[in-house]
């Protein structure tokens, strides 16, 4: 019954604002009454599908009004929904569907008719005892995504928090850059829909087109923008005209990765009147920590903290390193949030990452984030990096993300990924795959010299693969380090 | 006489395999850029001793001697003459 109440909450809100615009898409505006109409038509179709009661259904992420209405219709009929990244391969789909106990994968044809694409009957598909409403995927280390099960009450708590935190009201507009299968869509699309506000949908297929994104922001003037560094980099690109400015944006959410000081300066110029929020979270827990500041503070900060826990969020820092003078603790971050998943679709993975800890006499489930942090005496938490991204090169502690940021800051470098490789002499050596701008004349010598100006000598990669092709990425858009490491295995130590 | 070509060939065949010998500038800082890390330095010195018959074990070596292709070339020329004398 839980999916039904979730859907009910949305529909009641939609009824109140029937004439208002729910979505701006490249095909025009979609009003709430359009969504209600689509929802009604899909409900009728879902009723007639051969789906067992409460069975889980998977669909590919298509960022459109019809997919959103279809998800609401599935919830309305008590079916939890798994949203799969567009383009996920057949084999990976089979594995994920099996683990997630998916009964069927469905899709929409050109006329908006629901089709059953594959009857999966994943193990235990008949069980509908938990309160899972939405299953999102997150990239797994083996290349097969992990299914993250989000209960309806966690989603509702998240919508309520986001509404209050970002002062969202019915006439707010939220910019949506992320694809529908990303956890970011919960804030960018589902939260505005939950309160009758508006979401401006950027087409993920045009996500690398700066001119398109700038035009979309200028046209719709959203109050809130959320993005990873890539989005802001696209917006900041100048196309020969004056620098892009969006003084109407009230909230700028920075998430996903570390923002360099240079990137923060760019943000402050683009959004002079905004409050900036560095938000830390994972698909498993949703937003967990927040740091807010204005444009001036944003550019003054040497290092930007990830801030403090949100209301009702508990954090633990399990020590891995000796704290320094102004630290309370230094180690791996564990969080427990009101928005968190009940676990992965694979129970073995759940056991590894969702741990019970007793805090103030109460046993609670914490998510082991894999991130190393420092908690300072003023209560602020600073991210040091992924525990698996911090390596020792000739005994020197090195964060490979810092090396990537240094390489990417070169004007002729489009993207860079750094891969730690085992090395008999050095313990670990660093290999860099660098995507350069078309026509750029860079070789390992110029990149080494550039690195030498920005990072310690021990952090300068010893192997380079320089290419003009885009880097291989995982289903969630992060560099696929495992696949990229292949450049250095076949050729031994060769670079080219 | 200069050994600049031999030195560059050694560097690009052993250490920076994505560049060709003539792409390495004479004054490129091999130390700051990490091309010559401590392990590579040991390999370079062994190669210098063997190739140019320099009595490496009897010499006082300083990092500045290996700062660049030019510095290494000067180092060989200086010690080669001594070795001949």
């Amino acid at each position: 019954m839980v999916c039904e109440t979730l859907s009910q909450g949305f529909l009641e809100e939609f009824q109140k604002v029937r004439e208002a615009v729910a979505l701006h898409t490249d095909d025009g505006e979609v009003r709430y009454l359009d969504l209600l109409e689509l929802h009604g038509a899909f409900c009728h179709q879902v009723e007639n599908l051969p789906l067992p009661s409460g069975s889980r259904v998977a669909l590919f992420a298509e960022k459109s009004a019809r997919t959103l209405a279809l998800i609401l219709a599935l919830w309305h009929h008590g079916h939890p929904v798994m949203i799969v990244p567009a383009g996920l391969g057949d084999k990976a789909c089979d594995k994920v569907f099996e683990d997630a106990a998916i009964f069927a994968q469905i899709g929409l044809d050109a006329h908006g008719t629901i089709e059953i694409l594959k009857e999966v009957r994943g193990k235990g598909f008949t069980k509908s005892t938990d309160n899972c409403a939405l299953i999102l995927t997150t990239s797994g280390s083996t290349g097969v995504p992990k299914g993250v099960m989000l209960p309806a009450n966690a989603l509702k708590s998240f919508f309520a928090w986001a509404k209050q935190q970002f002062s969202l009201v019915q006439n707010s507009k939220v910019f949506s850059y992320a694809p529908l299968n990303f956890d970011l869509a919960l804030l960018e699309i589902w939260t505005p829909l939950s309160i009758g506000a508006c979401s401006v949908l950027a087409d993920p297929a045009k996500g690398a087109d700066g001119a398109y994104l700038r035009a979309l922001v200028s046209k719709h003037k959203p109050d809130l923008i959320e993005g990873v560094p890539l989005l802001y980099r696209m917006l900041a690109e100048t196309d020969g005209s004056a620098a892009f400015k969006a003084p109407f944006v009230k909230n700028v959410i920075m998430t996903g990765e570390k923002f360099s000081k240079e990137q923060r300066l760019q943000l402050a110029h683009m959004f002079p009147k905004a409050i900036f929020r560095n938000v830390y979270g994972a698909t498993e827990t949703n937003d967990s920590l927040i740091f807010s500041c204005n444009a001036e503070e944003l550019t003054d900060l040497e290092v930007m903290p990830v801030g403090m826990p949100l209301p009702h969020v508990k954090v633990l820092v399990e020590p891995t390193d000796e704290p320094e003078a102004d630290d309370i603790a230094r180690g791996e971050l564990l969080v427990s949030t009101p928005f968190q998943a009940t676990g992965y679709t694979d129970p073995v993975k759940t056991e590894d990452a969702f741990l019970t800890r007793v805090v103030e006499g109460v046993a609670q489930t914490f998510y082991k984030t894999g991130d190393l942090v420092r908690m300072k005496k003023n209560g602020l938490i600073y991210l040091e990096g992924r525990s698996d991204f911090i390596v020792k090169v000739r005994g020197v502690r090195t964060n490979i993300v810092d090396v990537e940021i240094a390489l990417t800051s070169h004007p002729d470098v489009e993207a860079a990924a750094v891969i730690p490789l085992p090395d008999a002499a050095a313990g670990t050596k660093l290999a860099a795959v660098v995507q350069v701008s078309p026509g750029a004349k860079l070789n390992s010598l110029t990149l080494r010299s550039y690195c030498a100006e920005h990072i310690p000598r021990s952090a300068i990669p010893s192997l380079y693969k320089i290419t003009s092709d885009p880097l291989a990425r995982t289903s969630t858009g992060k560099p696929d380090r495992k696949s990229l490491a292949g450049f250095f295995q076949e050729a031994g130590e060769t670079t080219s | 006489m200069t050994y600049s070509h031999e030195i560059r060939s050694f560097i690009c065949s052993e250490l920076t395999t994505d560049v060709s010998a003539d792409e390495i500038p004479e004054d490129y800082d091999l130390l700051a850029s990490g091309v010559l890390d401590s392990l590579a330095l040991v390999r370079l010195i062994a190669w210098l001793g063997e190739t140019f018959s320099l009595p490496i074990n009897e010499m006082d070596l300083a990092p500045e001697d290996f700062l660049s292709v030019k510095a290494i070339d000067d180092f060989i020329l200086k010690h080669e003459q001594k070795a001949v004398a």
Side-chain angles (χ1 to χ4, degrees):
Chain A
M1 291 306 286
V2 203
C3 292
E4 291 91 322
T5 57
L6 185 61
S7 159
Q8 201 53 38
F10 278 102
L11 295 177
E12 281 167 15
E13 207 56 43
F14 291 9
Q15 290 291 359
K16 288 187 214 160
V17 288
R18 294 173 59 87
E19 297 295 331
V21 176
L23 306 166
H24 284 292
T25 74
D26 286 358
D27 299 326
E29 61 182 37
V30 177
R31 287 180 297 167
Y32 277 100
L33 56 91
D34 303 322
L35 278 181
L36 282 165
E37 196 176 309
L38 278 168
H39 174 265
F42 286 136
C43 277
H44 183 67
Q45 290 189 49
V46 171
E47 261 173 25
N48 295 310
L49 288 175
L51 300 174
S53 158
S55 59
R56 292 176 179 175
V57 173
L59 46 85
F60 274 122
E62 178 195 81
K63 204 168 160 186
S64 64
R66 60 182 209 161
T67 302
L68 295 169
L70 174 59
I71 293 169
L72 287 170
L74 288 161
W75 282 341
H76 192 75
H77 286 87
H79 298 288
V81 178
M82 174 178 228
I83 308 181
V84 188
L88 185 68
D90 276 351
K91 276 194 180 153
C93 276
D94 288 348
K95 171 82 176 84
V96 170
F97 293 165
E98 180 67 24
D99 278 352
I102 297 299
F103 178 77
Q105 181 194 355
I106 64 169
L108 291 172
D109 72 9
H111 308 289
T113 306
I114 304 174
E115 301 174 294
I116 293 200
L117 300 175
K118 200 190 278 178
E119 221 169 89
V120 187
R121 294 171 182 268
K123 58 188 171 206
F125 70 85
T126 50
K127 278 187 240 157
S128 60
T129 49
D130 57 26
N131 60 356
C132 167
L134 184 65
I135 306 174
L136 296 179
T137 59
T138 183
S139 52
S141 53
T142 54
V144 176
K146 293 184 277 194
V148 179
M149 299 191 288
L150 297 165
N153 52 358
L155 298 176
K156 280 188 192 165
S157 305
F158 177 74
F159 302 149
W161 166 76
K163 177 190 169 188
Q164 205 235 341
Q165 174 73 57
F166 304 115
S167 310
L168 295 174
V169 290
Q170 216 168 36
N171 61 3
S172 299
K173 279 187 192 170
V174 178
F175 189 73
S176 159
Y177 177 68
L180 188 60
N181 55 297
F182 279 44
D183 52 1
L184 302 184
L186 293 173
L187 174 64
E188 299 170 7
I189 301 174
W190 294 106
T191 300
L193 292 182
S194 75
I195 56 164
C198 172
S199 178
V200 178
L201 304 188
D203 179 355
K206 297 179 196 160
D209 181 347
Y212 163 76
L213 296 167
R214 282 190 295 279
L216 205 58
V217 172
S218 302
K219 183 176 172 195
H220 296 294
K221 302 193 169 36
D223 313 281
L224 184 152
I225 289 189
E226 172 177 57
V228 293
L230 177 70
L231 168 65
Y232 297 120
R233 197 170 150 193
M234 298 288 165
L235 288 174
E237 277 173 1
T238 47
D239 44 4
S241 53
F244 178 74
K245 265 194 190 258
F248 42 82
V249 176
K250 295 179 192 141
N251 277 291
V252 172
I253 301 179
M254 306 153 70
T255 192
E257 293 164 48
K258 260 190 195 173
F259 283 69
S260 65
K261 200 161 185 184
E262 189 192 349
Q263 285 168 326
R264 285 187 270 130
L265 264 172
Q266 257 180 358
L267 280 176
H269 282 296
M270 271 195 292
F271 307 108
K273 293 187 180 158
I275 299 176
F276 295 87
R277 323 277 194 168
N278 198 19
V279 174
Y280 169 90
T283 308
E284 290 84 345
T285 55
N286 213 327
D287 296 342
S288 315
L289 309 173
I290 193 167
F291 177 79
S292 304
C293 64
N294 63 25
E296 200 180 325
E297 291 160 332
L298 182 75
T299 49
D300 283 351
L301 284 166
E302 223 22 76
V303 183
M304 198 177 190
V306 283
M308 295 201 189
L310 308 184
H312 311 296
V313 169
K314 295 228 160 39
V315 299
L316 292 175
V317 178
E318 302 212 322
T320 54
D321 288 274
E322 281 300 307
E324 288 179 15
D326 56 346
D327 295 339
I328 297 174
R330 191 174 183 190
E332 184 175 356
L333 180 70
L334 270 62
V335 297
S336 175
T337 77
F339 327 129
Q340 80 190 14
T342 50
Y344 296 116
T345 51
D346 178 345
V348 177
K349 288 179 181 148
T350 304
E351 259 178 46
D352 290 344
F354 290 83
L355 312 173
T356 305
R357 293 284 185 273
V358 179
V359 178
E360 292 156 9
V362 184
Q364 289 184 44
T365 305
F366 280 81
Y367 171 67
K368 189 176 155 69
T369 63
D371 285 322
L372 297 176
V373 299
R374 296 169 70 160
M375 187 188 274
K376 302 237 175 164
K377 285 183 178 151
N378 58 11
L380 290 173
I381 296 174
Y382 289 77
L383 197 58
E384 295 208 287
R386 294 289 305 166
S387 59
D388 42 358
F389 289 171
I390 293 182
V391 295
K392 286 206 167 175
V393 182
R394 290 185 204 93
V396 183
R397 192 180 157 90
T398 306
N399 185 344
I400 63 174
V401 177
D402 290 340
V403 184
E404 289 174 352
I405 290 174
L407 285 166
T408 315
S409 71
H410 189 289
D412 288 334
V413 173
E414 300 274 331
V418 171
I419 300 135
L421 299 174
D423 182 68
T428 300
K429 65 182 171 188
L430 301 182
V433 185
V434 182
Q435 180 198 347
V436 296
S437 312
K441 290 200 171 69
L442 284 182
N443 60 25
S444 67
L445 297 179
T446 44
L447 286 172
R448 280 171 179 278
S449 299
Y450 186 78
C451 283
E453 292 169 26
H454 294 87
I455 51 177
R457 197 178 294 179
S458 57
I460 301 175
S462 29
L463 302 175
Y464 295 81
K465 165 75 185 175
I466 296 163
T467 170
S468 52
D469 297 329
L471 305 184
R473 295 196 181 262
T474 63
S475 59
T476 52
K478 292 173 184 158
D480 184 351
R481 291 189 173 75
K482 199 175 166 136
S483 141
L484 293 170
F487 283 127
F488 304 101
Q489 279 155 6
E490 285 158 30
E493 290 203 358
T494 305
T495 57
S496 64
Chain B
M1 183 67 191
T2 170
Y3 297 109
S4 175
H5 181 73
E6 285 82 351
I7 300 162
R8 289 171 210 244
S9 300
F10 172 80
I11 291 171
C12 71
S13 67
E14 297 285 325
L15 304 172
T16 61
T17 44
D18 71 312
V19 290
S20 59
D22 51 7
E23 280 181 279
I24 306 175
E26 280 250 300
D27 56 352
Y28 183 83
D29 190 331
L30 299 167
L31 299 176
S33 62
V35 171
L36 287 180
D37 59 23
S38 52
L39 300 167
L41 203 52
V42 172
R43 277 156 71 190
L44 172 78
I45 292 169
W47 173 78
L48 288 173
E50 203 170 294
T51 313
F52 301 98
S53 310
L54 304 179
I56 295 292
N57 295 337
E58 298 157 26
M59 292 173 167
D60 285 331
L61 304 174
E64 306 85 77
D65 294 331
F66 312 103
L67 188 67
S68 62
V69 170
K70 175 87 175 61
I72 301 168
D73 193 31
D74 289 347
F75 173 85
I76 301 170
L77 292 173
K78 186 169 133 201
H79 292 285
E80 180 191 52
Q81 282 164 7
K82 275 190 196 161
V84 171

